[in-house]
Structures are given as structure tokens and as C-alpha cells.
Amino acid sequence: DAGVIQSPRHEVTEMGQEVTLRCKPISGHNSLFWYRQTMMRGLELLIYFNNNVPIDDSGMPEDRFSAKMPNASFSTLKIQPSEPRDSAVYFCASSLTGETGYTFGSGTRLTVV
Amino acid sequence: GEDVEQSLFLSVREGDSSVINCTYTDSSSTYLYWYKQEPGAGLQLLTYIFSNMDMKQDQRLTVLLNKKDKHLSLRIADTQTGDSAIYFCAENQAGTALIFGKGTTLSVSS
């Protein structure tokens, strides 16, 4: 398996633009997590899905952020409109119920200028 | 809410032992984890321990859990320059998402 695949690896965008981050979890995994990493706040859980259903989105910062999981092999995290304070590394991770630990993707480094 | 705290930096010499400490607040934690992050990469699961265990050893890694004090540590024996990375402590209960500390940057000098 190629692991959790995130795209793009790097994204630079102007303030006010829409940004879409993509994630393909490991085949067979039924939980998917979006985390944001910054120096100041460390790793923050934004949202997680179980069997494609959002379970906890309390970490989503505000209405500008939205996440979808239309099927078991794909998820998106969208920011509209983007702001400079959204600059961070966004990680996607997946897991299988009953197994411990997550598998993380390599992350998307987002820079909003 | 739940909180996980770690010291931010640790510097050791090659060949010495490294001990990275972590405290957590959720007494209901079922699993506790150590993850490693190398520059430009995602997090890699190093090891984990169930809350009913006191110690787990895996080659150069030793995890100690003091459940009474809610204290978790990771000892790396014979630390190598390749061990330089950020180490994250994390906890969760079964069926809930992992809560991470802010990470400890380990710097190994030769």
C-alpha cells in the first residue's frame, strides 16, 4: 500500500482565495482524521470521520473551513476564503477500528500571503 | 478538556540515553503513544502502551507509565544522530481521536 496520500505537498495562495486539500486514506481503513500543525499550537484535531460520517468537527476553527468524505477512499478539506493565519501544515491520517495508532500522510504545507 | 504537556527541547550526545517526558490530564486514557516526526515528513508511530501496563520495551525504546501521576516517558538507549527528530506524546480512549502534545525536539550531537 502507498500509505496515506495527500495533495498537494505545498500550496501558496493569496488571501481570499479558496484552497482545497485532498487526502486518500489507506485502503480498508474506516476512520480519517484531519490535523493542523503550527509552531504555536502544535497538532490540533480539526475533524474526523468514521465510515465516511463526520463524528467530531469541534476543532474546525470557523465557518471558512469545511471537510467532506464522499466515499471511503477520498476526503477534502476546504478553506474559503483563506487568510494568512491559516498558514500551517495540514495532515491527514487514517486508521482501522480495533487497531491502535494512525497512519499519517506527509502533509500539505499551506502558505497564505 | 484533555491536555498533553511535553518539554519542548532535549539535547544529548551520541551514545547517551535520551529521556523524553510527558504528562496528561485525562484519567480515562486507554492508550498512550509515542510518535516521531522527521523534517518535512508526517508522524510515524514508534510505540504505544495500554493504560494497564507499567512498562514496555522494544529494542532501544523503553516506555514507562505512571498512571497515578499521569506521567509517560520514552527512553532511547544509545541515542544516534538519526534519532534527531520531534517526538510527540499522544493519548486517547478507545473510539476517540488522538490528542497530541506539542512535541519535544530531540537534538543529538556527535
Side-chain angles (χ1 to χ4, degrees):
Chain A
D1 198 317
V4 175
I5 300 173
Q6 291 186 246
S7 64
R9 285 299 309 275
H10 302 275
E11 176 82 33
V12 180
T13 191
E14 290 187 346
M15 184 173 67
Q17 296 297 307
E18 177 180 293
V19 175
T20 299
L21 311 182
R22 297 173 174 80
C23 176
K24 180 179 177 356
I26 287 178
S27 177
H29 280 189
N30 61 346
S31 292
L32 184 141
F33 308 83
W34 282 101
Y35 283 86
R36 177 171 69 176
Q37 184 179 30
T38 60
M39 290 289 292
M40 289 297 294
R41 300 171 71 92
L43 269 165
E44 301 173 277
L45 175 68
L46 299 177
I47 186 171
Y48 80 93
F49 296 85
N50 186 253
N51 295 322
N52 311 340
V53 175
I55 301 300
D56 182 359
D57 65 353
S58 59
M60 295 285 263
E62 46 198 275
D63 292 345
R64 298 184 298 107
F65 285 68
S66 62
K68 292 183 180 179
M69 192 163 186
N71 56 62
S73 59
F74 184 65
S75 176
T76 59
L77 178 67
K78 186 177 291 187
I79 308 172
Q80 165 63 19
S82 57
E83 296 182 4
R85 62 192 167 118
D86 302 330
S87 297
V89 181
Y90 291 80
F91 285 103
C92 175
S94 70
S95 71
L96 178 63
T97 302
E99 292 188 350
T100 49
Y102 303 165
T103 302
F104 278 79
S106 297
T108 294
R109 181 174 294 277
L110 173 65
T111 303
V112 184
V113 297
Chain B
E2 303 91 350
D3 198 16
V4 178
E5 298 283 342
Q6 302 178 238
S7 52
L8 293 182
F9 298 102
L10 176 66
S11 181
V12 300
R13 295 177 69 101
E14 193 173 22
D16 288 350
S17 292
S18 306
V19 179
I20 302 171
N21 294 300
C22 167
T23 57
Y24 59 98
T25 58
D26 187 0
S27 57
S28 303
S29 297
T30 308
Y31 307 95
L32 297 118
Y33 306 81
W34 286 103
Y35 279 80
K36 177 182 180 181
Q37 184 182 32
E38 296 183 352
L43 278 72
Q44 173 193 3
L45 178 64
L46 274 182
T47 186
Y48 64 90
I49 189 168
F50 293 112
S51 59
N52 61 358
M53 298 170 63
D54 298 324
M55 185 182 86
K56 180 178 180 181
Q57 187 152 3
D58 183 1
Q59 300 182 340
R60 293 190 299 122
L61 305 180
T62 303
V63 178
L64 293 178
L65 174 61
N66 181 328
K67 198 173 178 183
K68 174 176 170 291
D69 294 339
K70 300 191 189 72
H71 182 268
L72 182 74
S73 67
L74 174 70
R75 178 177 180 270
I76 306 173
D78 187 25
T79 312
Q80 303 297 307
T81 54
D83 294 324
S84 293
I86 305 175
Y87 291 80
F88 290 90
C89 172
E91 61 85 17
N92 75 334
Q93 302 173 42
T96 66
L98 288 180
I99 305 298
F100 287 87
K102 290 189 176 165
T104 299
T105 299
L106 174 64
S107 174
V108 183
S109 58
S110 56

